[in-house]
Amino acid sequence: MASKVSPGTCLLCRAPLTKRKALKHGMACLQASGWPTGKKPSLLIMIQGRYNKDYWLVVLARHDAWLRELDRLIRDVWVECCDHLSSFKIGGVAYESDSTFSTGAMSVPLARLVSPGSTFTYDYDFGSTTSLDLKVIGETPIALPGGPLCLIARNDPPAIPCDLCGGKAAVILDDLDDDIPHYYCRACLVSTEHDPDYVETIANSPRNGVCGYTEDIAAALSWYPPGRSTGEVVSEEPDEVLPDDDAEVTAAIVAVIQDIGPDIDAFVQEEGAAHGDRGACMAGDTILAFCTFMHLLSGTKIDAWDVPSVQRCLIEHLAQNLLTPDDWLKNAVPILCRFLSRMEASGRITNASELIAALKQAEPAFQEAATSPEKGRAIFEYILMKAEEAGISITDIDASFAFAVKELARMAGIDPDDEEVRKRLSGLLDSGITEAFSSKLRATMIFGRCDEFCRRFKDDTILERCRRIFTALADHPAEPLLRGDGALWSAAIIYAACQDEDLIRPGKGAPPLGQEIGFFFGFERSSIRNKVRAMRALLPG
């Protein structure tokens, strides 16, 4: 039963509040925010779980917000797990996520459908449905300057009792036999027999415990007011509450943090200020991984690093454990160099210039080892790389196909910007060929990613396992590969293949292969594991 007082937090001023006082407090905070006045009033929308009203959000919707954008916010903050369908019901009309070209589609301005006092509903996943109630609780002249929608308040995580001791639970554990989630505090979790791959932190969402749902911190944060951090979305990562079976690696990480933890934190903050959240994340991953490898190699603190050890660590270890597929490769050495300069400025080391010169000298060998380029690499892989550099999403088949056609013309020595050539290419793109080849192109992209990742293995065992999984999915009558994020499909196929070959298992040493897959494809491991669970239901027994 929902509590009479449902506590929460104002995301504008970070003050505690209750659901009952959220409107009054939010209106006052918006007036004091310094945000501009909109051309038309903005709406304030309360969203809450239909069956557990302790979960609630307050959203500021600018006058030009669209219904599909509200769907995206709800998915990112509360419900998205496996690209399920969703639907709003407003005034007796259903607006469904798969009805892009119908009169009931979500591509409609929100202000055309609702006004202060309006109530409506939302359902996500028509199998294991999460149902929400929405109400426009007010309007304000204040408008968000940088986007159509913004979270301004949300509930604090409700206390869930541990199944064993009745205390406050910290994690959720999926029961693979009867599909019933169980909740445990840290102490009780240790006493259970469990697979760490199926343990997650408890999500602050009405979809908690359903379909393996886990929070996507980065996605949720994109809807928070400017300047908010990941700590305001989720208090701790799963790894912080799980026991670590790899004592050696754990000891190395602990030693690094004890030695230079505050320095790493300060450096990451500086990188975030200079290069944004992505730059900060990349810097943190790079520095912690490199320092951990250095400790495992020599057991020395940073003031004892020398030229041979840092070059060996860079080429033989960091290069073999890619953190992200694209821009990390060109940024890894510059990040390390900036970190060493900062460490010398703070008095922690005295040989930064020597180590920096060594890293720069080894950078070409590092990049060669990391990419392992092969003569005659498939044209497809080259075009895919160029498309990503151009900002083309591999899930956008039409855009990918158009880019591929132009790139092929350029590789053949034809200028795609020539007026006559442009007319011919335009005719090709308008001829319907994209529709005819879209499914094949998408499938090729999905498996091509698997092939690219599997180049790091000594033989083709994992690749062949991926091929069998991919073929089963491609032949499935429901055509699952045509829906959802193609890169996430690739990550899930590889993850499942590695599980089948016993390369991913509880207690596997660091850097964990599962984490490496997540870094390579840019997804949280929890998102990949959720996709694997859904995918296995489609595979033959």
Side-chain angles (χ1 to χ4, degrees), residues 12-43:
L12 295 167
C13 71
R14 299 176 172 84
L17 49 74
T18 64
K19 181 169 63 173
R20 184 176 300 174
K21 297 181 179 179
L23 174 61
K24 181 179 179 180
H25 181 102
M27 294 283 279
C29 257
L30 286 168
Q31 289 290 344
S33 67
W35 290 357
T37 300
K39 296 180 180 179
K40 297 180 181 179
S42 300
L43 300 176

Side-chain angles (χ1 to χ4, degrees), residues 232-253:
E232 295 175 83
V233 183
V234 62
S235 59
E236 56 188 348
E237 288 294 309
D239 289 346
E240 295 175 355
V241 297
L242 297 180
D244 190 344
D245 294 328
D246 193 326
E248 183 182 9
V249 175
T250 300
I253 294 174

Side-chain angles (χ1 to χ4, degrees), residues 96 101 263 467 525:
E96 300 178 352
F101 302 106
D263 297 283
R467 192 187 306 278
R525 283 174 290 168

Side-chain angles (χ1 to χ4, degrees), residues 299-322:
T300 58
K301 294 186 177 182
I302 192 171
D303 56 4
W305 287 6
D306 57 24
V307 167
S309 62
V310 297
Q311 288 186 329
R312 178 188 171 196
C313 183
L314 181 70
I315 298 171
E316 297 183 9
H317 295 274
L318 194 64
Q320 304 306 317
N321 297 276
L322 298 178

Side-chain angles (χ1 to χ4, degrees), residues 169-191:
V171 298
I172 183 171
L173 173 64
D174 282 344
D175 189 318
L176 301 182
D177 294 327
D178 55 14
D179 199 31
I180 297 176
H182 295 283
Y183 298 91
Y184 297 107
C185 66
R186 302 185 192 193
C188 290
L189 176 68
V190 175
S191 69

